[in-house]
Amino acid sequence: MTGGLVSPWILGTFLPSSSEFSTSSPSPATCVCRSHFRAPKDLKFVLHEALDFAGFNTTYAREAREGFCSQIQKLSGIERETSIIINRGVDLGKTALYIAAEDDSLISHSSVPLPVDAFIDRLDDLSLDYCSRYSSSFRSSPDNFLECLERYMYVDKGFRRSNSRNRLEQRAVYLHSVLTHRVGSMCMLSLIYSEILKMLRMWGLVTFDVEISSPNDSYGSPRGYLKQRSTESDHQHIMTTESLLLKILRDLKHAFWPFQVDQSKSPFLRAAEAANCSDRSTYIDKSGLEVASAKAARHRLERGVWTSVRFGDIRRALSACERLIILEADCMELRDYGALLYHCGFYKESLQYLNLYKDSQKQMKQLPDSLTKKLEEEALEKLIIRLNLILMEDKMATRPSSIASSLYNNTDPW
């Protein structure tokens, strides 16, 4: 029952507690901040250690993850709800670059790490350059200052929002790419806007309170507005440190999720459908393309194809999920990560995360039932039942697969 399900892309499965993967220092995956749910102390992630076991050097990926964790550790309950304009605890620019550095090391096979400090300097240079071009704006009205800042960003520097309607351009969700190509997602442009403002405030050049308005449409760009003129209804739209980090990581998860067809469904439902754990009668009008794409995604994972131009990247989807769990903002991420682990053949770990999600959900305030929620709950129960059967029928299901050696013969399709 298990032979056809084990994916060779990451050398089958492994036991997280196995001495084969023991290290002298604690894993960076264990550094978490306490918010909406509490992860057990012995909870482990699979990506880095499994890639190490497969013969890949994850030194730079681990260093970048440690950098990310060092920033997340600074997130207190108050800091999470702090506006990105006045946030002082977490260096959002550096955090976003650590995210980019880890993913770059996973896919580039480069012998050098992404130069995080160099891109931090490039980000700081934007503030310095603004001062040299628009020094007179500091002596003008706040409205004129904001007009100058937006002219600088969107005209002089040419930053623009990604115009991809269906799914984000991959380079639009990484800060170093946005700084280079000047095309970014809403959250990346908001981050750059806020970092310029923060520097100007630190230097004492801006003394009034500013917030960022992020339009809900698919083409508008972030704009500044005077906080003193805002109404109470505006406060709910203020981007906080936590909401920005969540948006960055979820953009990555959605961009690289290996089941891309039918964006109207949640990532979990798409993964469950590919595993035949969702109620297919609900989607009786499914097109032949959607059915074929789901089967193709499944087939790619079984053959060890890690990434596809149109159909995501399993490694970067896993890394996004792991960082979302570290952030501990929504227990839903445990479920989505568990669904990915199932498709990779990590059955024991998948069951662990799915059960942890169920336990965490019981402690949360229940939302009103919806069709999507009902479908997700049914799919979750079916997936858990299947995992229990797999682990009962084949005690070897959580050990490296004999077909995993094909990993060494697989190359990325770029």
Side-chain angles (χ1 to χ4, degrees):
M1 181 174 179
T2 63
L5 293 175
V6 177
S7 170
W9 75 274
I10 199 167
L11 203 67
T13 55
F14 74 101
L15 290 165
S17 58
S18 170
S19 59
E20 291 179 287
F21 300 102
S22 62
T23 58
S24 57
S25 60
S27 168
T30 60
C31 79
V32 291
C33 52
R34 305 304 177 195
S35 178
H36 300 293
F37 66 92
R38 182 181 294 271
K41 292 182 179 180
D42 60 346
L43 189 65
K44 299 283 186 71
F45 296 139
V46 305
L47 181 60
H48 293 165
E49 293 186 7
L51 287 174
D52 279 341
F53 191 69
F56 292 89
N57 187 343
T58 61
T59 300
Y60 297 141
R62 289 177 179 273
E63 290 176 355
R65 180 70 66 87
E66 289 172 358
F68 172 81
C69 289
S70 69
Q71 293 296 322
I72 298 304
Q73 283 181 322
K74 301 174 184 178
L75 271 179
S76 63
I78 294 176
E79 191 68 35
R80 286 173 178 268
E81 302 305 319
T82 299
S83 165
I84 59 175
I85 296 294
I86 61 175
N87 155 68
R88 291 182 179 272
V90 180
D91 188 326
L92 292 173
K94 188 171 289 187
T95 304
L97 287 169
Y98 283 136
I99 291 171
E102 179 181 351
D103 284 6
D104 178 76
S105 70
L106 293 176
I107 63 169
S108 68
H109 309 300
S110 174
S111 59
V112 295
L114 186 77
V116 170
D117 290 340
F119 282 104
I120 289 291
D121 291 341
R122 185 179 295 192
L123 189 59
D124 292 343
D125 287 345
L126 289 174
S127 302
L128 290 169
D129 187 43
Y130 176 83
C131 292
S132 65
R133 296 188 186 211
Y134 292 95
S135 58
S136 61
S137 68
F138 301 122
R139 299 186 296 273
S140 62
S141 67
D143 288 331
N144 183 66
F145 164 77
L146 292 175
E147 289 178 5
C148 291
L149 180 56
E150 285 154 17
R151 186 185 313 126
Y152 172 73
M153 271 199 65
Y154 303 126
V155 179
D156 298 348
K157 290 300 180 182
F159 285 102
R160 61 182 177 85
R161 189 169 170 186
S162 171
N163 58 10
S164 177
R165 293 184 178 181
N166 297 324
R167 56 189 296 261
L168 286 170
E169 298 176 24
Q170 294 183 2
R171 68 182 184 181
V173 292
Y174 290 118
L175 181 55
H176 72 293
S177 293
V178 178
L179 290 171
T180 302
H181 301 287
R182 309 297 170 90
V183 178
S185 63
M186 172 60 73
C187 61
M188 282 300 157
L189 295 183
S190 296
L191 189 154
I192 293 171
Y193 196 120
S194 71
E195 289 298 300
I196 296 175
L197 272 174
K198 279 168 58 177
M199 293 299 293
L200 298 179
R201 286 171 63 95
M202 287 175 57
W203 296 336
L205 299 174
V206 175
T207 57
F208 46 87
D209 290 332
V210 182
E211 289 296 346
I212 294 178
S213 173
S214 301
N216 295 323
D217 54 52
S218 58
Y219 53 85
S221 298
R223 304 283 174 178
Y225 67 93
L226 289 176
K227 189 174 182 178
Q228 64 186 36
R229 296 182 188 171
S230 64
T231 63
E232 187 173 349
S233 61
D234 293 325
H235 296 169
Q236 61 183 324
H237 300 294
I238 293 176
M239 186 170 288
T240 64
T241 300
E242 181 179 85
S243 65
L244 178 69
L245 290 172
L246 275 173
K247 186 71 171 85
I248 290 172
L249 292 172
R250 284 177 176 167
D251 278 351
L252 288 168
K253 183 176 78 170
H254 286 276
F256 299 114
W257 196 255
F259 312 101
Q260 287 289 332
V261 176
D262 196 350
Q263 300 288 318
S264 64
K265 302 188 189 76
S266 69
F268 175 75
L269 272 181
R270 283 179 267 149
E273 183 177 338
N276 295 319
C277 286
S278 64
D279 186 0
R280 299 182 69 84
S281 64
T282 307
Y283 312 115
I284 196 167
D285 60 343
K286 184 181 298 296
S287 70
L289 174 62
E290 292 174 317
V291 174
S293 296
K295 290 181 178 179
R298 175 71 184 186
H299 185 54
R300 285 194 307 278
L301 293 180
E302 290 175 353
R303 290 187 297 115
V305 177
W306 301 350
T307 185
S308 170
V309 175
R310 291 187 57 197
F311 296 105
D313 184 327
I314 191 71
R315 293 162 301 175
R316 285 184 281 184
L318 284 168
S319 64
C321 286
E322 290 179 355
R323 289 185 295 250
L324 281 163
I325 293 172
I326 290 172
L327 189 58
E328 283 195 330
D330 194 329
C331 63
M332 175 189 71
E333 306 303 340
L334 298 165
R335 179 199 64 187
D336 291 0
Y337 185 55
L340 273 189
L341 293 181
Y342 167 81
H343 282 285
C344 297
F346 292 85
Y347 302 124
K348 181 179 178 180
E349 293 75 24
S350 174
L351 183 61
Q352 178 188 17
Y353 276 95
L354 294 179
N355 282 328
L356 181 58
Y357 164 72
K358 287 187 66 176
D359 293 340
S360 300
Q361 192 181 40
K362 292 176 184 177
Q363 304 171 18
M364 304 292 291
K365 182 179 180 181
Q366 295 297 313
L367 298 175
D369 288 340
S370 63
L371 176 60
T372 297
K373 182 181 177 182
K374 181 180 179 182
L375 292 173
E376 289 177 341
E377 288 177 349
E378 291 174 353
L380 176 66
E381 291 302 322
K382 290 180 181 179
L383 188 53
I384 289 176
I385 291 172
R386 176 176 293 184
L387 285 165
N388 280 313
L389 288 173
I390 290 174
L391 295 174
M392 287 174 59
E393 292 182 9
D394 189 351
K395 298 299 183 182
M396 302 295 290
T398 57
R399 298 182 185 178
S401 166
S402 60
I403 62 174
S405 60
S406 63
L407 171 67
Y408 299 102
N409 297 321
N410 287 329
T411 56
D412 297 307
W414 53 68

